[in-house]
Amino acid sequence: MPISMKNAVLSPLLKKPYLDFEILSNFRPVSKLKFLSKVIEKVAATRLTNYLCDNNLNESLRSAYKKDHSCETALLRIQNDILKSIDDKQCVVLLLLDLSAAFDTVDHKILLHRLQTRFGIKGKALSWLQSYLTDRSQSVQIDGFTSSVRPLRFGVPQGSVLGTLLYLLYTATLGNVIRWHDMDFHLYADDT
C-alpha cells in the first residue's frame, strides 16, 4: 500500500446529537481516506472475506459485518438461547462488553501473527496487509484547521473499508474464550 494512501484526516463526529460537544469522549474519530485507498481496500476486503468463507474461518458466534446477519439476528439468537436455557431449567447469565476506543487498540504485531497462525494468511497477502498497517499517519481537522501529522503505531482506521474486518479478525479469539467457559461451566455443573 503506497505511503501516500496511508494518511488519514480525522473528523471528530458527535456520537449522538444530544451529547455535550465539549466532552471529548462524546466524539467518534472517523477517518477520511483517499478514494483510491478505499477502492484498493474494497478489493482486499472482498478477497479476504471470500478466503474466510471458502475456508470456513469465520467466527460462528459473530454477527457483525456478516452476510445475512444483523443486530436483529444477534438479538434473536441471544433471546432464543436464554429462553431455551430457562426452559431446560439452567442458570442464565448474560455478560455484555462495550470496548471503548476498540479500533484504536489493535496491536499490529498481534494482528499480523493472528492472521498468519489462526487464519493461514501468508506470502504476498500477509506482506500486503503488513504494508497496509505500517507507516500509517493521521491528522485531525476541525472547522477548517488541521493539526500536524502524527504516526499511528496501533489501531485500524475507523471509517475505512478494511479496518472493520481486520478488527473482527483481531478479536476472533474471544469466541474461543466463550466456548471454553461454556464448556468449563457445563463440566462443573455436571459434576455437582
Side-chain angles (χ1 to χ4, degrees), residues 66-117:
K66 199 173 181 181
K67 186 178 180 182
D68 300 325
H69 288 74
S70 65
C71 290
E72 290 84 4
T73 59
L75 290 172
L76 286 171
R77 167 77 191 262
I78 291 167
Q79 180 184 25
N80 182 62
D81 289 351
I82 289 172
L83 292 174
K84 186 173 181 273
S85 294
I86 290 171
D87 287 345
D88 293 342
K89 301 196 182 337
Q90 295 178 339
C91 178
V92 176
V93 176
L94 178 62
L95 174 68
L96 302 172
L97 297 174
D98 183 11
L99 305 173
S100 62
F103 279 60
D104 299 332
T105 62
V106 174
D107 183 303
H108 298 161
K109 288 180 185 177
I110 293 172
L111 173 59
L112 290 166
H113 182 264
R114 243 173 234 163
L115 291 174
Q116 186 174 20
T117 58

Side-chain angles (χ1 to χ4, degrees), residues 116-134:
Q116 186 174 20
T117 58
R118 181 182 172 104
F119 298 102
I121 298 170
K122 297 180 175 114
K124 289 181 182 180
L126 187 65
S127 294
W128 187 88
L129 288 165
Q130 182 175 11
S131 169
Y132 172 81
L133 291 168
T134 56

Side-chain angles (χ1 to χ4, degrees), residues 28-172:
R28 175 177 290 114
V30 176
S31 301
K32 291 182 183 176
L33 300 164
K34 294 185 179 181
F35 173 77
L36 186 54
S37 170
K38 288 195 168 207
V39 170
I40 293 168
E41 285 185 56
K42 181 67 177 170
V43 171
T46 300
R47 293 187 71 182
L48 184 53
T49 300
N50 290 341
Y51 169 80
L52 295 170
C53 290
D54 292 348
N55 293 285
N56 200 26
L57 295 171
N58 281 315
E59 174 53 60
S60 63
L61 296 174
R62 175 178 61 87
S63 290
Y65 307 103
K66 199 173 181 181
K67 186 178 180 182
D68 300 325
H69 288 74
S70 65
C71 290
E72 290 84 4
T73 59
L75 290 172
L76 286 171
R77 167 77 191 262
I78 291 167
Q79 180 184 25
N80 182 62
D81 289 351
I82 289 172
L83 292 174
K84 186 173 181 273
S85 294
I86 290 171
D87 287 345
D88 293 342
K89 301 196 182 337
Q90 295 178 339
C91 178
V92 176
V93 176
L94 178 62
L95 174 68
L96 302 172
L97 297 174
D98 183 11
L99 305 173
S100 62
F103 279 60
D104 299 332
T105 62
V106 174
D107 183 303
H108 298 161
K109 288 180 185 177
I110 293 172
L111 173 59
L112 290 166
H113 182 264
R114 243 173 234 163
L115 291 174
Q116 186 174 20
T117 58
R118 181 182 172 104
F119 298 102
I121 298 170
K122 297 180 175 114
K124 289 181 182 180
L126 187 65
S127 294
W128 187 88
L129 288 165
Q130 182 175 11
S131 169
Y132 172 81
L133 291 168
T134 56
D135 297 322
R136 296 197 77 85
S137 60
Q138 70 180 18
S139 56
V140 178
Q141 190 172 58
I142 300 173
D143 293 332
F145 295 98
T146 305
S147 72
S148 59
V149 176
R150 298 281 189 226
L152 281 176
R153 291 179 179 82
F154 294 92
V156 291
Q158 190 166 339
S160 68
V161 177
L162 199 51
T164 303
L165 180 56
L166 292 176
Y167 177 76
L168 292 173
L169 296 176
Y170 181 72
T171 58

